[in-house]
Amino acid sequence: MSVTFAQGFSAAGVNAGISANTEKSDLAMVVNYGPSDAAAGVFTSNRFCAAPVQWSRKALMNGRIKAVVLNSGGANACTGQAGFEQSETTAVKAAHSLNVDVNDIAVCSTGLIGELLPIENVLRGVDAALLALNDDEQAGLDAAMAIMTTDTKPKTARLQGRGYRVGGMVKGSGMIAPQLATMLCVVTTDAVVDSEQLQKVLELAVNKSFNRIDVDGCMSTNDTVLLLASGASGVTPDDDEFTELIVRACSDLARQIVGDGEGSSHDIKITVSGAENEKAALACARAVAGSNLLKCAISGNDPNWGRIVSSLGTVPSHVADFDPCEVTVDINSVRVCAHGGAGIDRSEVNMDERQVDIDIDLNRGNAGSTVWTNDLTHEYVHINADYES
Amino acid sequence: MSVTFAQGFSAAGVNAGISANTEKSDLAMVVNYGPSDAAAGVFTSNRFCAAPVQWSRKALMNGRIKAVVLNSGGANACTGQAGFEQSETTAVKAAHSLNVDVNDIAVCSTGLIGELLPIENVLRGVDAALLALNDDEQAGLDAAMAIMTTDTKPKTARLQGRGYRVGGMVKGSGMIAPQLATMLCVVTTDAVVDSEQLQKVLELAVNKSFNRIDVDGCMSTNDTVLLLASGASGVTPDDDEFTELIVRACSDLARQIVGDGEGSSHDIKITVSGAENEKAALACARAVAGSNLLKCAISGNDPNWGRIVSSLGTVPSHVADFDPCEVTVDINSVRVCAHGGAGIDRSEVNMDERQVDIDIDLNRGNAGSTVWTNDLTHEYVHINADYES
């Protein structure tokens, strides 16, 4: 159902001739018919942020979004003033057709960095998308498919609150080092929530979801997560329930990105417990998630705990206090490392499942954190060595 | 010539039956016959440092090393008290045979983490190495070969000072994320230098060499660099010249590690200039060197500057101040990115050579720094997915 699961939203996905793959749909629209148009957004912290990010960040300053235009086939990043004008022109076109203010239109792009978009195709695509807009399941799916790049499947979410709904879609491709036009996400709800509250909830949800499938906290030039509320249900939700639903929607979508990570054969869930505080746990989990050596071992079905502790050992003690001699590591519930040394023989670990659970106990405190990553495969190298050619 | 190029040193490399590869020599010794036995060392900062590192760090506290025993085939890391006793037993054996103090023996190990060494084989290997000790070229080469793991060739250095010599050997395998038993290095000189001066020079040299071929500043559990001075030339060197020679020896050896990086097809030299200070330049160079996406692109002969600037954009502005719109990127002398946007078409870049030069100008100040790395290839994944099996 994607973004159209929430009432008040229509969507479309069309082939606008933007992508080098002429068979692929490459332009999506999501329109909020209200009655409310409250919105929130979280954008990449990359200093080379793309033109559509610059545009959308500015547009969102009024706390309203009536429609989002998203394209694959080009990131429109590092394209200077001409690139910004392309995003603006796209917004003007959509605003004019929908008879709304230009600052109520968000624009998202994903694809190669450094090249301008074929803007005439984009504008024709907006026309086509407007004609195709629909609030049914297929339209939501069409939109989710149009934003895919190296994704192998569309990624959508639907959650039911008490009297209101949450829908969502995301595209996410390279996950091992998500620094390139990695992620675009639109989450919709028909709950009645103002933009200030939406922003608070979205930031919390992103921090607990998309920022936990990231190797090093680095976002791409184009990463954008939008949360739109139509208010069409007429229901003002319970704060805690609403927050939980948005966190779940984002976590669900984030989990789907990991499950579709470029070329990956294993999803790796790294949970650090027994830390002094959550920040320390997160730093340890990220250090382990960032190890190419571990990722390669996992792709070879090798539960190589030495590569886990050697990554853990690179976290400075002022960031995470622990005694190496007290650390335990379980892989798929087998304690392969106890007291910082060899535990049960690693041959006991079953690596047949796609998901690999790595549980690290620092035995120092009561805080924990979980980070998801993928293994590193031949296919990842193939995809990323040949993305251009 | 390796470590035996400097007068006063003998070396050997023998097959002690430590490595799973029964064809391979796996134990090396370097003995300093003096008259001086001044020494310095730099060790991994990994909190899970290996038993031989703990031993050698302790042994070096007196500023003297008479002999070094090095083995491949096992890291003796995360092996607890039993592992430490193995390193100590090895040192005792060598000390007894050479009739020196046990604290004058350094021990280095490299290989898999988490398993004890076949200690009887190690001790028999020490006997065999003592018998094989020689000060000729072949003996130096034998030692350099015995410490190899996934290295495809021995790595040695020889430099001539005014009246004295510097020799060296190193083993280094996985370079993309050198967190696993990556590097052992012994540099020898027949100059007359005390241990305090040696330590000062070695720290500076390591910082300018081995720490610049590193993706993330993380060292393995076993990384060890030793500098031994026999004083056999009778020459007290000029401070500046000696420092320069040791820096060159370490840089030469570090460069050889990059050239033999696991599965790599390109050596990548990343130079950042125009920074406010060296620290900022180094942070930027390391951010670029750490990008799997860039490494994959380079392995596909794609001069993908978008992946360079998107990595650069992840460096916080309080770490490196620059304006993205002022940044230029040259790949193999072609300015593919100017003013933060597209420059000369990337198709103009010749990627035929093994070395790829990436020159980034932040256009903010006058400081610079260089980091070396490798590309990321199918072969890297293969080596590291199947290292165990």
Side-chain angles (χ1 to χ4, degrees), chain A residues 75-90:
Chain A
N76 193 9
C78 302
T79 44
Q81 183 60 27
F84 185 81
E85 283 166 12
Q86 288 199 331
S87 294
E88 185 172 35
T89 302
T90 305

Side-chain angles (χ1 to χ4, degrees), chain A residues 46-48 78 176-177 179 218 292-293 296 302 307 309-311 313 315 317 320 322 324 340-341 346 376 384-385 387-388, chain B residues 46-48 78 176-177 179 292-293 296 302 306-307 309-311 313-315 317 320 322 324 340-341 381 384-385 387-388:
Chain A
N46 198 299
R47 293 161 74 185
F48 286 86
C78 302
I176 291 181
Q179 295 178 9
C218 300
N292 280 349
L293 286 169
C296 286
D302 170 17
R307 296 180 183 183
V309 298
S310 64
S311 298
V315 179
S317 48
F322 62 82
R346 70 186 81 190
L376 180 54
N384 286 296
Y387 187 51
E388 277 265 312
Chain B
N46 198 300
R47 291 162 74 184
F48 286 86
C78 302
I176 291 182
Q179 296 177 10
N292 280 349
L293 287 168
C296 286
D302 170 17
R307 297 181 182 183
V309 298
S310 63
S311 298
T314 65
V315 179
S317 48
F322 62 82
V381 175
N384 285 296
Y387 186 51
E388 278 264 313

Side-chain angles (χ1 to χ4, degrees), chain A residues 45-48 77-80 112-115 174 176-180 182 216 218-221 262 287 290-293 295-297 299-302 304-307 309-318 320-325 327 337 340-342 346 376-389, chain B residues 45-48 77-80 112-115 174 176-180 182 216 218-221 262 287 290-293 295-297 299-302 304-307 309-318 320-325 327 337 340-342 346 376-389:
Chain A
S45 57
N46 198 299
R47 293 161 74 185
F48 286 86
C78 302
T79 44
L112 266 181
I113 291 176
E115 286 169 22
I176 291 181
Q179 295 178 9
L180 176 79
T182 306
D216 52 8
C218 300
M219 294 177 123
S220 87
T221 52
E262 281 173 347
S291 166
N292 280 349
L293 286 169
K295 287 161 183 293
C296 286
S299 81
N301 284 328
D302 170 17
N304 192 320
W305 64 269
R307 296 180 183 183
V309 298
S310 64
S311 298
L312 208 54
T314 64
V315 179
S317 48
H318 70 268
D321 185 34
F322 62 82
D323 177 353
C325 294
V327 170
C337 171
R346 70 186 81 190
L376 180 54
T377 65
H378 292 84
E379 189 60 15
Y380 174 90
V381 175
H382 175 67
I383 291 169
N384 286 296
D386 305 329
Y387 187 51
E388 277 265 312
S389 50
Chain B
S45 58
N46 198 300
R47 291 162 74 184
F48 286 86
C78 302
T79 44
L112 266 182
I113 291 175
E115 286 169 21
I176 291 182
Q179 296 177 10
L180 177 79
T182 306
D216 52 9
C218 300
M219 293 177 125
S220 87
T221 52
E262 282 174 347
S291 166
N292 280 349
L293 287 168
K295 287 162 182 291
C296 286
S299 80
N301 284 327
D302 170 17
N304 192 320
W305 64 269
R307 297 181 182 183
V309 298
S310 63
S311 298
L312 208 54
T314 65
V315 179
S317 48
H318 70 268
D321 185 34
F322 62 82
D323 177 353
C325 294
V327 169
C337 170
R346 70 185 81 189
L376 180 54
T377 65
H378 292 83
E379 189 59 15
Y380 174 89
V381 175
H382 174 68
I383 292 169
N384 285 296
D386 306 328
Y387 186 51
E388 278 264 313
S389 48

Side-chain angles (χ1 to χ4, degrees), chain B residues 50-52 74-79 82-84 86-87 109 112 114-117 222:
Chain B
N76 194 8
C78 302
T79 44
F84 185 81
Q86 287 199 330
S87 294
S109 301
L112 266 182
E115 286 169 21
L116 287 167
L117 297 171
N222 290 56

Side-chain angles (χ1 to χ4, degrees), chain A residues 89-387:
Chain A
T89 302
T90 305
V92 166
K93 170 76 178 177
H96 185 74
S97 302
L98 291 166
N99 197 26
V100 300
D101 189 272
V102 67
N103 285 314
D104 293 344
I105 308 292
V107 179
C108 303
S109 301
T110 178
L112 266 181
I113 291 176
E115 286 169 22
L116 287 167
L117 297 171
I119 188 67
E120 293 306 325
N121 297 10
V122 172
L123 299 182
R124 274 198 303 272
V126 171
D127 277 336
L130 286 164
L131 286 171
L133 282 174
N134 201 305
D135 63 1
D136 65 5
E137 183 166 346
Q138 185 60 46
L141 188 62
D142 288 348
M145 293 185 76
I147 58 174
M148 289 164 58
T149 54
T150 54
D151 307 64
T152 65
K153 47 194 153 192
K155 301 170 184 70
T156 64
R158 49 185 289 176
L159 291 165
Q160 181 72 54
R162 287 196 304 259
Y164 65 97
R165 292 171 161 185
V166 173
M169 66 176 185
V170 72
K171 74 68 64 171
S173 46
M175 271 319 305
I176 291 181
Q179 295 178 9
L180 176 79
T182 306
M183 195 189 70
L184 301 181
C185 177
V186 179
V187 176
T188 56
T189 180
D190 48 29
V192 180
V193 189
D194 67 25
S195 63
E196 199 179 329
Q197 177 69 5
L198 288 176
Q199 187 67 34
K200 206 176 95 187
V201 171
L202 183 62
E203 285 176 11
L204 186 146
V206 167
N207 194 35
K208 296 268 184 203
S209 57
F210 298 114
N211 285 351
R212 300 296 165 90
I213 54 166
D214 191 301
V215 167
D216 52 8
C218 300
M219 294 177 123
S220 87
T221 52
N222 289 56
D223 287 336
T224 300
V225 186
L226 297 173
L227 172 56
L228 315 180
S230 70
S233 70
V235 173
T236 302
D238 171 74
D239 271 4
D240 290 345
E241 188 202 43
F242 184 68
T243 301
E244 194 207 318
L245 278 186
I246 300 301
V247 169
R248 273 175 53 200
C250 289
S251 298
D252 183 358
L253 292 168
R255 182 70 187 75
Q256 290 179 56
I257 292 177
V258 171
D260 194 27
E262 281 173 347
S264 64
S265 61
H266 283 295
D267 305 344
I268 309 172
K269 183 185 187 184
I270 300 162
T271 303
V272 174
S273 62
E276 280 190 310
N277 53 58
E278 193 184 356
K279 200 174 158 191
L282 186 57
C284 289
R286 284 201 170 127
V288 174
S291 166
N292 280 349
L293 286 169
L294 174 63
K295 287 161 183 293
C296 286
I298 300 292
S299 81
N301 284 328
D302 170 17
N304 192 320
W305 64 269
R307 296 180 183 183
I308 296 170
V309 298
S310 64
S311 298
L312 208 54
T314 64
V315 179
S317 48
H318 70 268
V319 174
D321 185 34
F322 62 82
D323 177 353
C325 294
E326 294 296 323
V327 170
T328 65
V329 179
D330 293 21
I331 303 180
N332 287 344
S333 303
V334 177
R335 180 143 303 173
V336 287
C337 171
H339 302 297
I344 296 170
D345 194 87
R346 70 186 81 190
S347 63
E348 299 292 314
V349 181
N350 182 339
M351 298 286 284
D352 291 344
E353 299 295 319
R354 182 175 173 89
Q355 181 173 327
V356 176
D357 291 319
I358 297 177
D359 292 286
I360 299 161
D361 192 341
L362 301 178
N363 280 303
R364 175 55 53 115
N366 297 308
S369 185
T370 297
V371 167
W372 285 87
T373 188
N374 290 114
D375 57 351
L376 180 54
T377 65
H378 292 84
E379 189 60 15
Y380 174 90
V381 175
H382 175 67
I383 291 169
N384 286 296
D386 305 329
Y387 187 51

Side-chain angles (χ1 to χ4, degrees), chain B residues 22-174:
Chain B
T22 55
E23 301 296 304
K24 197 192 161 301
S25 62
D26 48 19
L27 188 135
M29 277 191 78
V30 180
V31 178
N32 178 0
Y33 287 108
S36 165
D37 54 10
V42 173
F43 301 95
T44 180
S45 58
N46 198 300
R47 291 162 74 184
F48 286 86
C49 72
V53 170
Q54 294 172 38
W55 170 264
S56 297
R57 192 179 271 145
K58 183 175 86 68
L60 195 58
M61 285 174 72
N62 61 13
R64 299 195 310 262
I65 293 292
K66 288 232 169 69
V68 189
V69 181
L70 312 96
N71 75 274
S72 54
N76 194 8
C78 302
T79 44
Q81 183 60 26
F84 185 81
E85 284 165 13
Q86 287 199 330
S87 294
E88 185 172 36
T89 302
T90 306
V92 167
K93 170 78 179 176
H96 184 76
S97 302
L98 290 165
N99 198 24
V100 300
D101 190 273
V102 66
N103 285 312
D104 293 345
I105 308 292
V107 178
C108 303
S109 301
T110 178
L112 266 182
I113 291 175
E115 286 169 21
L116 287 167
L117 297 171
I119 188 67
E120 293 305 324
N121 296 10
V122 172
L123 298 181
R124 274 199 301 272
V126 171
D127 277 335
L130 286 164
L131 287 171
L133 281 174
N134 201 306
D135 63 1
D136 65 5
E137 183 166 346
Q138 186 60 45
L141 188 61
D142 288 347
M145 294 185 75
I147 57 174
M148 289 165 58
T149 54
T150 54
D151 308 65
T152 65
K153 49 194 153 193
K155 301 170 183 69
T156 63
R158 48 185 288 176
L159 292 163
Q160 181 72 55
R162 288 195 303 258
Y164 64 97
R165 291 172 161 186
V166 173
M169 66 176 185
V170 73
K171 74 68 61 171
S173 45

